[in-house]
Amino acid sequence: MEIVVPVKMVPDVVEELEVDASGKALDGSFLKFRINEYDEHAVEEALLLKEQHGGRVTVLALDAPEVDDALFTCLAKGADRALKVTGAGEGLDSHRAANILASALKSLPCDLVLTGVQAIDDRDGQLGPLLAGALGVPHVSVVSSVVPEAGGKVVCVKQEYAAGLVAEMEVDLPAVIGIQAAQQPPRYAPVSKVRQIMKTTKLEELAAAQPDATG
């Protein structure tokens, strides 16, 4: 199974945050960035699927501050491939980001796309549904478990609801699944292993599709 996980770089909320002169955004000159927390859970769920059922994991990201370190860390955790989409620009809304990522996904072998359920910087939770719409595949969000069935053509997912309710459903592949939480906490990648990956591996790059090519 080919699994692709799009990840987004977001401000590290552990750091002190300052508002810029416009009063409408954070001052980027003082920000540090990290992978969105929910995307880290999506990466972990992908790695668990690979370990338990076989397959290959590709991590995909739009170019952003500190994204190289983040992608190398995903490789150190066990991802097989890391791909950076360049030339997309900054400050993209979910619609534009989804169009660019969908164009990239169409060029990759892909049975299953795992996204974080939402990003901590915008909280709109729309990337997964928008990706699924652009790709013309099913989508389920707020998922806490993904298990392949029927020879790898279907996955059984557990979707969380309020009051602790959980629904189980089967989803035909290819599909986009929004991960609320992985089946275990995201694993840690030792700094020494990340540095070794940086020395021996080169990140792949793909130019972002232009607006007229993404619709």
Side-chain angles (χ1 to χ4, degrees):
M1 179 183 293
E2 294 283 351
I3 307 168
V4 181
V5 186
V7 298
K8 181 181 182 181
M9 302 302 293
V10 297
D12 190 341
V13 295
V14 174
E15 302 294 326
E16 183 175 350
L17 305 178
E18 296 187 18
V19 177
D20 67 11
S22 72
K24 299 179 181 180
L26 294 175
D27 188 341
S29 60
F30 294 97
L31 290 178
K32 291 186 177 180
F33 291 84
R34 54 164 292 174
I35 292 180
N36 174 49
E37 177 184 351
Y38 294 101
D39 295 345
E40 288 189 312
H41 279 270
V43 171
E44 181 62 32
E45 190 70 12
L47 295 175
L48 289 173
L49 282 168
K50 171 188 169 181
E51 292 167 355
Q52 296 169 6
H53 304 282
R56 189 167 70 151
V57 175
T58 298
V59 180
L60 176 68
L62 299 178
D63 197 4
E66 301 175 62
V67 69
D68 287 14
D69 290 348
L71 291 175
F72 282 124
T73 299
C74 290
L75 291 171
K77 288 183 176 184
D80 300 283
R81 187 180 181 189
L83 185 62
K84 179 172 65 174
V85 180
T86 61
E90 299 182 0
L92 302 180
D93 61 23
S94 294
H95 286 78
R96 178 66 179 135
N99 283 337
I100 293 171
L101 290 171
S103 292
L105 286 165
K106 290 174 183 178
S107 69
L108 301 174
C110 181
D111 301 303
L112 180 63
V113 179
L114 298 184
T115 72
V117 70
Q118 62 183 353
I120 65 167
D121 59 346
D122 57 35
R123 297 284 185 181
D124 71 355
Q126 293 303 298
L127 181 67
L130 289 167
L131 273 179
L135 296 171
V137 301
H139 170 263
V140 181
S141 196
V142 198
V143 166
S144 58
S145 172
V146 181
V147 179
E149 294 187 351
K153 296 181 179 179
V154 174
V155 291
C156 180
V157 303
K158 292 184 178 180
Q159 185 181 46
E160 298 183 0
Y161 288 85
L165 297 177
V166 177
E168 293 189 10
M169 59 188 74
E170 292 184 346
V171 185
D172 293 333
L173 298 181
V176 178
I177 306 295
I179 301 297
Q180 171 78 13
Q183 297 178 60
Q184 67 180 33
R187 65 195 66 189
Y188 172 75
V191 174
S192 59
K193 188 172 183 180
V194 175
R195 289 176 176 170
Q196 182 61 32
I197 292 290
M198 289 178 172
K199 293 178 181 178
T200 59
T201 305
K202 184 177 180 180
L203 297 178
E204 298 178 59
E205 295 186 5
L206 177 66
Q210 298 304 308
D212 60 349
T214 59

